[in-house]
């Protein structure tokens, strides 16, 4: 059926006038005879790890797929994953080589309860025979890189939002939630919807004194309108350009694509990566073979020969949802903040403002590798030249904290004398781990203080008090700021005389006057123009118009036993954007055990609108604005809606983590932006409600690596409204019908097909029950 639908779509992608025009017809004939649809690098990697695909099926953006990832990493949250694993009836991990466990988040916590938790995780890992790395060994993401678990051309997941970092070495890394992790442990599989792919082209070359951290901080600030939200990113550029971005810089950039809003951040498998990998293989062969002949390394020259003899790359003509560019040659050092990654300011501007700092941090998986420690140490070593050769102390009143990304990275820094220089300058050493970056341990920001960090998140309150200000910068800027006592740099960057500002924008960044394209590129451009015609036509005519086909039955979706063919109910409209997970389910209840279904139903949407519980009824369809379910990873945001006996949520867009939790817990959701627009046109009620902030409780540790809840926008619409409109989702026909009631308009809109694997999870009652059925052999 999928192949038939694909054929129909191809037939519908041209107007008659195009088919009759000789030049257009020539291009279209090439499309018809093409042996396969071109794929992005992201799609190619997913293709390798997708299970149960029909013969000849090439995965594309938007497809739901069942995945068996190359590796799956969990950290301190292994404890709740173990509980879920046990609750579904599993007793043995399906593929012991697939799973990696690390302890890295709360490593400074020596309380009896935390040490007991760590011990239980270690004992479970040893009993199961999976790879385990204890507290103090390093941050899980760094371990995945340096131990070769995150390998180029593979798909690797972790129960942490900064899994994007693996893209720095050409590995498609993405985050999962704990239910997914339990599923992978039990069955080796989970599900994923392939996101739209954004191509980010780098041009020029990175100037001296500008780092990978500056690149990603600038990207977050320059493209701050959610341009890459819920996208997969593929970074591209010429060989000359990419050679100015070493692997450690790429890791920092890929790591913070999470803060930029993306689900992945993938660099190409190129000569820079090849040089780095061959160095790793040589190092392993010489060092480990001498000390540990039995060491089982994933870095071998034999493996690398196979990798580079058939280098994976995007096909010519691959379709990207959008293209952005940044000219590295025009970039200067940047600083993020305060308290937002969407605020990025050139260092020179902030330095002129004389912003005093109280604390500085050289920590995290983003920027505390040996090269980062060397960059920071150089600031102090250079200052020593003007201090009779003695390392100067940091400024009075400043506290400076340093933690390596891993023990091996610290060992390398110690061998070079860099670690000692930083400590001699007055830094307080911390164990290799997350620590202050995640708001755990010593050195947290106090009320009224200002901090600058080489980490990845400066959300309000993340690194301490909500009344503090946090900035993000490169390791050398952090060190220079600690030394001077105010935000400043080491003055390694020299602004070009003809500098006119940072060059960035949409497209590939190549000026038309400088453009020389090949025949293949010309064909690709024409194909892109045809795609634009189709997209513009869809926008012009709307999605309500259905393309006729020779056989309407070809469009029908197969419905699995136990899954409803239609879902119908009255629309209850919660007219607000950015309703986050704390608005849906209060944080004060998140860590309370034994909350009954009735209590969950009463608490549903309580922080958004206390009246919701009395307005909404069983069987209603909840419709809200855009970015519904942003914020933390709590699964109760989905289960509370189910407790209210609401079977379907519709929004303009969902937070990705909410979407995953919804499917995992058998709550269905649809994105229909047009419905939101029509509801807002029909119900412009004058009732005014003041702007309110939804805040996370400090004890809500499970959302520590998630963005803070977004404030509700001031709105003139009622918070919760019974509309009298009826929504009917015809699952078989992938169509939603809206009846506006009282003899008013009836209309319909096409929605995406609900694939069989997602139907099966929902029909079973969620991912846990689906996994349990797999274990028990239920058909």
């Amino acid at each position: 059926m999928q192949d038939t639908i694909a054929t129909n779509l191809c037939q519908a992608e041209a107007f008659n006038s195009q088919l009759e025009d000789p030049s257009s017809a020539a291009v279209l004939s090439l499309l018809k005879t093409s042996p396969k649809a071109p794929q992005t690098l992201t799609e190619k990697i997913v293709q390798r790890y997708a299970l149960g695909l029909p013969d000849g099926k090439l995965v594309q953006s938007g497809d739901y797929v069942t995945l068996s990832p190359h590796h799956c990493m969990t950290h301190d949250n292994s404890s709740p994953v173990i509980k879920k694993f046990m609750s579904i009836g599993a007793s043995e991990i399906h593929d012991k080589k697939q799973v990696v466990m690390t302890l890295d988040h709360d490593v400074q916590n020596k309380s009896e309860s935390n040490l007991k938790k760590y011990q239980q995780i270690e004992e479970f890992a040893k009993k199961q025979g999976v790879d385990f790395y204890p507290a103090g060994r390093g941050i899980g993401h760094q371990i995945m890189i340096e131990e070769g678990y995150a390998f180029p051309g593979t798909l690797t997941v972790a129960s942490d939002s900064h899994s994007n970092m693996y893209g720095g070495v050409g590995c498609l890394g993405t985050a999962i939630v704990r239910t997914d992790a339990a599923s992978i442990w039990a069955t080796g599989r989970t599900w994923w919807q392939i996101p739209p792919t954004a191509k980010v082209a780098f041009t020029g070359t990175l100037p001296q004194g500008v780092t990978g951290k500056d690149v990603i901080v600038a990207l977050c600030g320059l493209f701050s309108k959610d341009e890459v939200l819920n996208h997969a990113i593929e970074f591209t550029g010429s060989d000359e350009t990419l050679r100015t971005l070493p692997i450690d810089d790429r890791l920092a950039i890929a790591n913070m694509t999470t803060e930029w809003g993306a689900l992945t951040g993938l660099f190409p498998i190129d000569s820079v990566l090849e040089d780095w990998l061959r160095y790793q293989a040589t190092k392993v062969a010489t060092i480990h073979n001498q000390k540990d002949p039995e060491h089982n390394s994933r870095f071998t020259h034999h493996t690398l020969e196979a990798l580079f003899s058939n280098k994976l790359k995007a096909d010519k003509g691959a379709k990207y949802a959008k293209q952005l560019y940044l000219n590295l040659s025009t970039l200067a050092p940047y600083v993020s903040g305060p308290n937002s990654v969407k605020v990025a300011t050139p260092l020179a501007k902030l330095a002129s403002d004389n912003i005093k700092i109280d604390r500085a941090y050289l920590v995290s998986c983003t920027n505390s590798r040996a090269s980062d420690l060397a960059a920071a140490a150089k600031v102090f070593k250079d200052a020593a030249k003007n201090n009779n050769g003695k390392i100067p102390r940091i400024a009075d009143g400043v506290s400076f904290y340093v933690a390596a990304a891993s023990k091996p990275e610290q060992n390398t820094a110690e061998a070079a004398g860099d670690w000692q220089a930083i400590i001699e300058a007055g830094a307080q050493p911390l164990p290799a781990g997350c620590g202050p970056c995640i708001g755990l341990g010593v050195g947290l920001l106090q009320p009224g203080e200002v901090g600058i960090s080489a980490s990845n998140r400066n959300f309000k309150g993340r690194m301490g008090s909500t009344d503090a200000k946090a900035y993000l910068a490169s390791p050398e800027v952090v060190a220079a700021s600690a030394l001077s006592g105010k935000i400043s740099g080491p003055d390694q960057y020299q602004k070009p005389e003809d500098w006119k500002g940072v060059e960035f924008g949409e497209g590939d960044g190549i000026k038309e006057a400088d453009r020389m394209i090949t025949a293949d590129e010309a064909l690709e451009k024409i194909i892109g123009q045809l795609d634009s015609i189709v997209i513009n036509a869809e926008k012009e005519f709307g999605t309500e118009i259905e393309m006729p086909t020779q056989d309407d039955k070809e469009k029908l979706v197969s419905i699995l036993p136990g899954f409803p063919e239609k879902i119908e109910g009255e629309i209850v409209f919660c007219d607000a954007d950015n309703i986050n997970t704390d608005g849906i389910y209060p944080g004060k209840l998140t860590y309370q055990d034994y909350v009954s279904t009735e209590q969950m139903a009463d608490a549903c949407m309580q922080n958004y609108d206390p009246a919701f519980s009395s307005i909404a009824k069983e069987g209603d369809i909840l419709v809200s604005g855009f970015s519904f379910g942003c914020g933390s990873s709590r699964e109760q945001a989905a289960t509370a809606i189910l407790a209210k006996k609401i079977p379907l949520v519709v929004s303009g867009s969902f937070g990705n983590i909410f979407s995953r939790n919804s499917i995992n817990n058998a709550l269905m959701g649809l994105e229909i932006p047009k419905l939101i627009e029509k509801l807002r046109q029909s119900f412009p009620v004058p009732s005014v409600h003041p702007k309110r902030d939804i805040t996370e409780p400090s004890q809500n540790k499970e959302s520590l690596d998630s963005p803070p809840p977004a404030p509700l926008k001031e709105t003139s619409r009622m918070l919760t409204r019974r509309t009298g409109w009826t929504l009917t989702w015809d699952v078989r026909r992938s169509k939603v019908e809206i009846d506006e009631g009282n003899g008013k308009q009836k209309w319909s809109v096409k929605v995406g097909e609900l694939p069989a694997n997602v139907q099966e999870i929902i029909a079973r009652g969620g991912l846990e029950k689906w996994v349990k059925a797999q274990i028990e052999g239920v058909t």
Side-chain angles (χ1 to χ4, degrees), residues 19 33 98 129 167 195 208-209 225 244 253 323 348 356 401 409 440 454 503 536 565 620 632 645 657 667 702 724:
L19 294 171
T33 57
Q98 187 181 37
Q208 181 179 351
K225 307 300 182 185
T244 64
I253 293 169
Q323 293 191 46
K356 181 182 178 299
Y401 306 91
E409 293 295 309
L440 296 172
E503 295 179 7
N536 290 334
E565 291 192 17
D620 284 341
S632 75
K645 297 184 179 179
I657 202 72
L667 174 66
E702 193 163 277

Side-chain angles (χ1 to χ4, degrees), residues 5-322:
I5 292 171
T7 301
N8 289 336
L9 287 174
C10 289
Q11 291 172 346
E13 282 180 355
F15 297 111
N16 290 333
S17 59
Q18 294 173 342
L19 294 171
E20 293 169 0
D21 178 70
S23 58
S24 298
V27 174
L28 292 169
S29 67
L30 288 174
L31 291 176
K32 291 178 181 178
T33 57
S34 176
K36 64 176 184 177
Q39 290 179 305
T40 64
L41 180 57
T42 299
E43 290 164 347
K44 283 194 166 187
I45 294 176
V46 173
Q47 186 84 38
R48 289 181 165 187
Y49 291 90
L51 301 177
L53 296 175
D55 290 342
K57 165 66 177 175
L58 294 176
V59 300
Q60 299 289 327
S61 170
D63 288 348
Y64 284 91
V65 292
T66 299
L67 290 176
S68 178
H70 185 56
H71 286 294
C72 171
M73 187 270 284
T74 56
H75 46 64
D76 293 30
N77 58 19
S78 295
S79 183
V81 176
I82 291 171
K83 293 177 182 177
K84 280 187 170 287
F85 179 76
M86 297 296 190
S87 71
I88 60 181
S91 59
E92 187 171 352
I93 288 178
H94 177 80
D95 183 353
K96 300 180 188 305
K97 294 183 179 180
Q98 187 181 37
V99 175
V100 181
M101 294 187 193
T102 66
L103 297 177
D104 59 6
H105 272 52
D106 205 9
V107 296
Q108 296 179 43
N109 185 353
K110 304 300 181 183
S111 67
E112 182 179 350
S113 61
N114 193 60
L115 292 177
K116 182 179 180 181
K117 180 178 75 173
Y118 276 11
Q119 182 182 359
Q120 290 172 340
I121 294 172
E122 182 173 2
E123 289 174 352
F124 178 85
K126 289 182 177 179
K127 179 181 178 181
Q128 293 290 334
V130 301
D131 289 356
F132 171 80
Y133 295 86
R137 170 58 178 78
I139 301 173
H141 298 308
Q142 178 62 27
I143 290 171
M144 296 295 283
I145 296 292
E146 66 191 23
E147 291 292 338
Y149 295 109
F151 199 78
T154 68
L155 188 154
T156 289
V157 300
S159 57
D160 186 276
S161 58
H162 288 105
S163 312
N164 296 27
M165 185 173 112
Y166 311 153
V169 292
C171 168
L172 187 63
T174 194
I176 56 172
V177 296
R178 60 188 185 182
T179 300
D180 298 314
S183 170
I184 293 170
W185 286 8
T187 68
R189 294 172 286 166
T190 189
W191 66 273
W192 202 44
Q193 184 180 23
I194 306 174
T197 306
K199 180 191 286 188
V200 178
F202 292 135
T203 62
T205 55
L206 203 63
Q208 181 179 351
V210 183
T211 71
K213 184 60 164 282
D214 298 309
V215 172
I216 189 59
V217 166
L219 285 172
C220 289
L222 297 173
F223 298 100
S224 60
K225 307 300 182 185
D226 293 337
E227 287 90 342
V228 297
L229 180 66
N230 293 337
H231 281 63
I233 293 177
E234 292 184 12
F235 294 106
T236 66
S238 68
D239 184 66
E240 179 186 13
T241 295
L242 292 178
R243 289 206 75 82
T244 64
L245 290 172
I247 295 302
D248 283 359
D249 277 348
R250 297 182 185 194
L251 291 171
I253 293 169
N255 181 291
M256 279 190 64
T257 57
T258 302
E259 281 63 44
W260 199 13
L263 302 181
T264 69
L266 189 61
F267 275 85
I269 302 172
D270 63 357
S271 59
V272 176
L273 179 60
E274 181 174 3
D275 292 344
W276 183 84
L277 287 168
R278 293 197 183 282
Y279 172 76
Q280 300 302 317
T282 300
K283 181 174 67 174
V284 167
T286 55
I287 298 176
H288 282 295
N289 286 353
Q290 293 173 4
K291 296 182 178 180
D292 183 9
E294 301 300 320
H295 182 79
N296 182 23
S297 173
R298 281 152 288 278
F299 293 114
T300 68
H301 287 289
H302 176 74
T303 304
L304 299 185
E305 290 299 333
L307 173 68
F308 289 103
S309 63
N310 186 24
K311 193 182 299 183
L312 205 60
K313 60 182 179 181
D315 291 326
K316 291 181 179 179
K319 300 298 185 294
Y320 291 90
K322 58 186 64 177

